[in-house]
Amino acid sequence: IQVLDSFNRTINYEEELVELSRWSNYDILQWDVVVKKNIPRQHDACSCGIFTIKYMQFWNGSEITNPFTQKDMEKFRKKMPAELILSPLNELKKEQMASCTYLFGMY
């Protein structure tokens, strides 16, 4: 398990693993826990979701490949709806997409 903790908290991860093992079919108590400290840090109480998404996007298994900071969060908040709506994976019809892009100011 690799823990990317944007709050840099002190947590007993062993206790957390015991709790997780109660509902999992995996023997996670045998997994190594590696806590990464030099990662982008969150400095507010409302950006955790965006930090999580950006960690998933930019984490290659050992490091963040595209560093970001708390200052980037506002840009990400504005950009994410456009990325989701305009994604080729989005199955909305063009008429539905037009009204969504208007709502988000992306016309």
Side-chain angles (χ1 to χ4, degrees), residues 1-17:
I1 295 177
Q2 293 181 342
V3 179
L4 307 179
D5 186 352
S6 66
F7 275 133
N8 199 23
R9 296 172 289 182
T10 304
I11 294 177
N12 183 337
Y13 291 101
E14 309 303 327
E15 289 177 11
E16 296 291 323
L17 287 176

PDB file of all heavy atoms in Angstrom, residues 1-17:
ATOM      1  N   ILE A   1       0.860  -1.177   0.000  1.00  0.00           N
ATOM      2  CA  ILE A   1       0.000   0.000   0.000  1.00  0.00           C
ATOM      3  C   ILE A   1       0.895   1.225   0.000  1.00  0.00           C
ATOM      4  O   ILE A   1       1.833   1.313   0.782  1.00  0.00           O
ATOM      5  CB  ILE A   1      -0.897   0.037   1.262  1.00  0.00           C
ATOM      6  CG1 ILE A   1      -1.871  -1.129   1.258  1.00  0.00           C
ATOM      7  CG2 ILE A   1      -1.648   1.362   1.326  1.00  0.00           C
ATOM      8  CD1 ILE A   1      -2.732  -1.200   2.487  1.00  0.00           C
ATOM      9  N   GLN A   2       0.606   2.170  -0.884  1.00  0.00           N
ATOM     10  CA  GLN A   2       1.296   3.453  -0.872  1.00  0.00           C
ATOM     11  C   GLN A   2       0.288   4.499  -0.413  1.00  0.00           C
ATOM     12  O   GLN A   2      -0.817   4.574  -0.943  1.00  0.00           O
ATOM     13  CB  GLN A   2       1.830   3.803  -2.252  1.00  0.00           C
ATOM     14  CG  GLN A   2       2.927   2.878  -2.705  1.00  0.00           C
ATOM     15  CD  GLN A   2       3.464   3.259  -4.070  1.00  0.00           C
ATOM     16  OE1 GLN A   2       2.832   3.981  -4.816  1.00  0.00           O
ATOM     17  NE2 GLN A   2       4.635   2.757  -4.371  1.00  0.00           N
ATOM     18  N   VAL A   3       0.648   5.274   0.591  1.00  0.00           N
ATOM     19  CA  VAL A   3      -0.249   6.273   1.160  1.00  0.00           C
ATOM     20  C   VAL A   3       0.208   7.648   0.710  1.00  0.00           C
ATOM     21  O   VAL A   3       1.321   8.075   1.006  1.00  0.00           O
ATOM     22  CB  VAL A   3      -0.245   6.195   2.713  1.00  0.00           C
ATOM     23  CG1 VAL A   3      -1.162   7.272   3.284  1.00  0.00           C
ATOM     24  CG2 VAL A   3      -0.643   4.809   3.175  1.00  0.00           C
ATOM     25  N   LEU A   4      -0.661   8.344  -0.034  1.00  0.00           N
ATOM     26  CA  LEU A   4      -0.401   9.724  -0.446  1.00  0.00           C
ATOM     27  C   LEU A   4      -1.301  10.598   0.417  1.00  0.00           C
ATOM     28  O   LEU A   4      -2.482  10.726   0.150  1.00  0.00           O
ATOM     29  CB  LEU A   4      -0.714   9.913  -1.928  1.00  0.00           C
ATOM     30  CG  LEU A   4      -0.040   8.947  -2.895  1.00  0.00           C
ATOM     31  CD1 LEU A   4      -0.456   9.249  -4.323  1.00  0.00           C
ATOM     32  CD2 LEU A   4       1.458   8.984  -2.752  1.00  0.00           C
ATOM     33  N   ASP A   5      -0.754  11.163   1.456  1.00  0.00           N
ATOM     34  CA  ASP A   5      -1.530  11.893   2.448  1.00  0.00           C
ATOM     35  C   ASP A   5      -1.293  13.381   2.275  1.00  0.00           C
ATOM     36  O   ASP A   5      -0.269  13.910   2.705  1.00  0.00           O
ATOM     37  CB  ASP A   5      -1.131  11.423   3.845  1.00  0.00           C
ATOM     38  CG  ASP A   5      -1.993  12.034   4.929  1.00  0.00           C
ATOM     39  OD1 ASP A   5      -2.809  12.934   4.622  1.00  0.00           O
ATOM     40  OD2 ASP A   5      -1.850  11.627   6.085  1.00  0.00           O
ATOM     41  N   SER A   6      -2.228  14.080   1.653  1.00  0.00           N
ATOM     42  CA  SER A   6      -2.047  15.502   1.374  1.00  0.00           C
ATOM     43  C   SER A   6      -2.077  16.366   2.627  1.00  0.00           C
ATOM     44  O   SER A   6      -1.638  17.499   2.598  1.00  0.00           O
ATOM     45  CB  SER A   6      -3.109  15.985   0.387  1.00  0.00           C
ATOM     46  OG  SER A   6      -4.393  15.915   0.965  1.00  0.00           O
ATOM     47  N   PHE A   7      -2.598  15.843   3.737  1.00  0.00           N
ATOM     48  CA  PHE A   7      -2.592  16.593   4.994  1.00  0.00           C
ATOM     49  C   PHE A   7      -1.352  16.302   5.833  1.00  0.00           C
ATOM     50  O   PHE A   7      -1.130  16.919   6.854  1.00  0.00           O
ATOM     51  CB  PHE A   7      -3.838  16.306   5.822  1.00  0.00           C
ATOM     52  CG  PHE A   7      -5.016  17.141   5.447  1.00  0.00           C
ATOM     53  CD1 PHE A   7      -6.253  16.560   5.269  1.00  0.00           C
ATOM     54  CD2 PHE A   7      -4.907  18.505   5.275  1.00  0.00           C
ATOM     55  CE1 PHE A   7      -7.354  17.317   4.937  1.00  0.00           C
ATOM     56  CE2 PHE A   7      -5.993  19.278   4.942  1.00  0.00           C
ATOM     57  CZ  PHE A   7      -7.227  18.676   4.771  1.00  0.00           C
ATOM     58  N   ASN A   8      -0.549  15.312   5.408  1.00  0.00           N
ATOM     59  CA  ASN A   8       0.678  14.949   6.123  1.00  0.00           C
ATOM     60  C   ASN A   8       0.385  14.654   7.593  1.00  0.00           C
ATOM     61  O   ASN A   8       1.054  15.130   8.483  1.00  0.00           O
ATOM     62  CB  ASN A   8       1.733  16.049   5.974  1.00  0.00           C
ATOM     63  CG  ASN A   8       3.117  15.523   6.279  1.00  0.00           C
ATOM     64  OD1 ASN A   8       3.377  14.332   6.183  1.00  0.00           O
ATOM     65  ND2 ASN A   8       4.010  16.415   6.636  1.00  0.00           N
ATOM     66  N   ARG A   9      -0.675  13.856   7.828  1.00  0.00           N
ATOM     67  CA  ARG A   9      -1.100  13.533   9.192  1.00  0.00           C
ATOM     68  C   ARG A   9      -0.243  12.430   9.789  1.00  0.00           C
ATOM     69  O   ARG A   9       0.414  11.678   9.089  1.00  0.00           O
ATOM     70  CB  ARG A   9      -2.553  13.075   9.180  1.00  0.00           C
ATOM     71  CG  ARG A   9      -3.512  14.140   8.732  1.00  0.00           C
ATOM     72  CD  ARG A   9      -4.865  13.575   8.563  1.00  0.00           C
ATOM     73  NE  ARG A   9      -4.839  12.713   7.378  1.00  0.00           N
ATOM     74  CZ  ARG A   9      -5.893  12.079   6.911  1.00  0.00           C
ATOM     75  NH1 ARG A   9      -7.033  12.171   7.526  1.00  0.00           N
ATOM     76  NH2 ARG A   9      -5.820  11.329   5.834  1.00  0.00           N
ATOM     77  N   THR A  10      -0.290  12.329  11.086  1.00  0.00           N
ATOM     78  CA  THR A  10       0.351  11.211  11.779  1.00  0.00           C
ATOM     79  C   THR A  10      -0.746  10.216  12.116  1.00  0.00           C
ATOM     80  O   THR A  10      -1.591  10.475  12.972  1.00  0.00           O
ATOM     81  CB  THR A  10       1.045  11.692  13.064  1.00  0.00           C
ATOM     82  OG1 THR A  10       1.969  12.722  12.720  1.00  0.00           O
ATOM     83  CG2 THR A  10       1.769  10.561  13.739  1.00  0.00           C
ATOM     84  N   ILE A  11      -0.745   9.103  11.415  1.00  0.00           N
ATOM     85  CA  ILE A  11      -1.777   8.080  11.595  1.00  0.00           C
ATOM     86  C   ILE A  11      -1.086   6.750  11.795  1.00  0.00           C
ATOM     87  O   ILE A  11      -0.066   6.468  11.170  1.00  0.00           O
ATOM     88  CB  ILE A  11      -2.690   8.002  10.351  1.00  0.00           C
ATOM     89  CG1 ILE A  11      -3.490   9.290  10.197  1.00  0.00           C
ATOM     90  CG2 ILE A  11      -3.615   6.808  10.422  1.00  0.00           C
ATOM     91  CD1 ILE A  11      -4.363   9.325   8.972  1.00  0.00           C
ATOM     92  N   ASN A  12      -1.654   5.933  12.655  1.00  0.00           N
ATOM     93  CA  ASN A  12      -1.144   4.582  12.817  1.00  0.00           C
ATOM     94  C   ASN A  12      -1.750   3.736  11.702  1.00  0.00           C
ATOM     95  O   ASN A  12      -2.881   3.260  11.812  1.00  0.00           O
ATOM     96  CB  ASN A  12      -1.518   4.022  14.194  1.00  0.00           C
ATOM     97  CG  ASN A  12      -0.945   2.649  14.414  1.00  0.00           C
ATOM     98  OD1 ASN A  12      -0.632   1.926  13.472  1.00  0.00           O
ATOM     99  ND2 ASN A  12      -0.804   2.280  15.673  1.00  0.00           N
ATOM    100  N   TYR A  13      -1.006   3.581  10.625  1.00  0.00           N
ATOM    101  CA  TYR A  13      -1.528   2.873   9.459  1.00  0.00           C
ATOM    102  C   TYR A  13      -1.732   1.388   9.727  1.00  0.00           C
ATOM    103  O   TYR A  13      -2.548   0.756   9.076  1.00  0.00           O
ATOM    104  CB  TYR A  13      -0.626   3.105   8.245  1.00  0.00           C
ATOM    105  CG  TYR A  13      -0.695   4.527   7.761  1.00  0.00           C
ATOM    106  CD1 TYR A  13       0.302   5.442   8.069  1.00  0.00           C
ATOM    107  CD2 TYR A  13      -1.788   4.967   7.019  1.00  0.00           C
ATOM    108  CE1 TYR A  13       0.218   6.758   7.635  1.00  0.00           C
ATOM    109  CE2 TYR A  13      -1.888   6.281   6.593  1.00  0.00           C
ATOM    110  CZ  TYR A  13      -0.875   7.169   6.904  1.00  0.00           C
ATOM    111  OH  TYR A  13      -0.971   8.465   6.477  1.00  0.00           O
ATOM    112  N   GLU A  14      -1.020   0.862  10.695  1.00  0.00           N
ATOM    113  CA  GLU A  14      -1.218  -0.550  11.050  1.00  0.00           C
ATOM    114  C   GLU A  14      -2.649  -0.766  11.552  1.00  0.00           C
ATOM    115  O   GLU A  14      -3.307  -1.727  11.190  1.00  0.00           O
ATOM    116  CB  GLU A  14      -0.205  -0.996  12.108  1.00  0.00           C
ATOM    117  CG  GLU A  14       1.254  -0.675  11.793  1.00  0.00           C
ATOM    118  CD  GLU A  14       1.739  -1.267  10.477  1.00  0.00           C
ATOM    119  OE1 GLU A  14       1.269  -2.357  10.105  1.00  0.00           O
ATOM    120  OE2 GLU A  14       2.569  -0.641   9.816  1.00  0.00           O
ATOM    121  N   GLU A  15      -3.133   0.159  12.404  1.00  0.00           N
ATOM    122  CA  GLU A  15      -4.504   0.055  12.899  1.00  0.00           C
ATOM    123  C   GLU A  15      -5.510   0.195  11.759  1.00  0.00           C
ATOM    124  O   GLU A  15      -6.526  -0.502  11.726  1.00  0.00           O
ATOM    125  CB  GLU A  15      -4.772   1.129  13.954  1.00  0.00           C
ATOM    126  CG  GLU A  15      -4.058   0.889  15.266  1.00  0.00           C
ATOM    127  CD  GLU A  15      -4.291   2.023  16.265  1.00  0.00           C
ATOM    128  OE1 GLU A  15      -5.166   2.872  16.016  1.00  0.00           O
ATOM    129  OE2 GLU A  15      -3.582   2.048  17.282  1.00  0.00           O
ATOM    130  N   GLU A  16      -5.222   1.090  10.831  1.00  0.00           N
ATOM    131  CA  GLU A  16      -6.099   1.268   9.669  1.00  0.00           C
ATOM    132  C   GLU A  16      -6.166  -0.014   8.849  1.00  0.00           C
ATOM    133  O   GLU A  16      -7.230  -0.403   8.368  1.00  0.00           O
ATOM    134  CB  GLU A  16      -5.609   2.428   8.788  1.00  0.00           C
ATOM    135  CG  GLU A  16      -5.644   3.773   9.465  1.00  0.00           C
ATOM    136  CD  GLU A  16      -7.062   4.269   9.705  1.00  0.00           C
ATOM    137  OE1 GLU A  16      -7.946   4.037   8.855  1.00  0.00           O
ATOM    138  OE2 GLU A  16      -7.295   4.899  10.750  1.00  0.00           O
ATOM    139  N   LEU A  17      -5.032  -0.687   8.688  1.00  0.00           N
ATOM    140  CA  LEU A  17      -5.006  -1.931   7.921  1.00  0.00           C
ATOM    141  C   LEU A  17      -5.825  -3.022   8.602  1.00  0.00           C
ATOM    142  O   LEU A  17      -6.516  -3.801   7.937  1.00  0.00           O
ATOM    143  CB  LEU A  17      -3.568  -2.406   7.715  1.00  0.00           C
ATOM    144  CG  LEU A  17      -2.735  -1.601   6.724  1.00  0.00           C
ATOM    145  CD1 LEU A  17      -1.311  -2.134   6.704  1.00  0.00           C
ATOM    146  CD2 LEU A  17      -3.344  -1.646   5.349  1.00  0.00           C
TER     147      LEU A  17
END
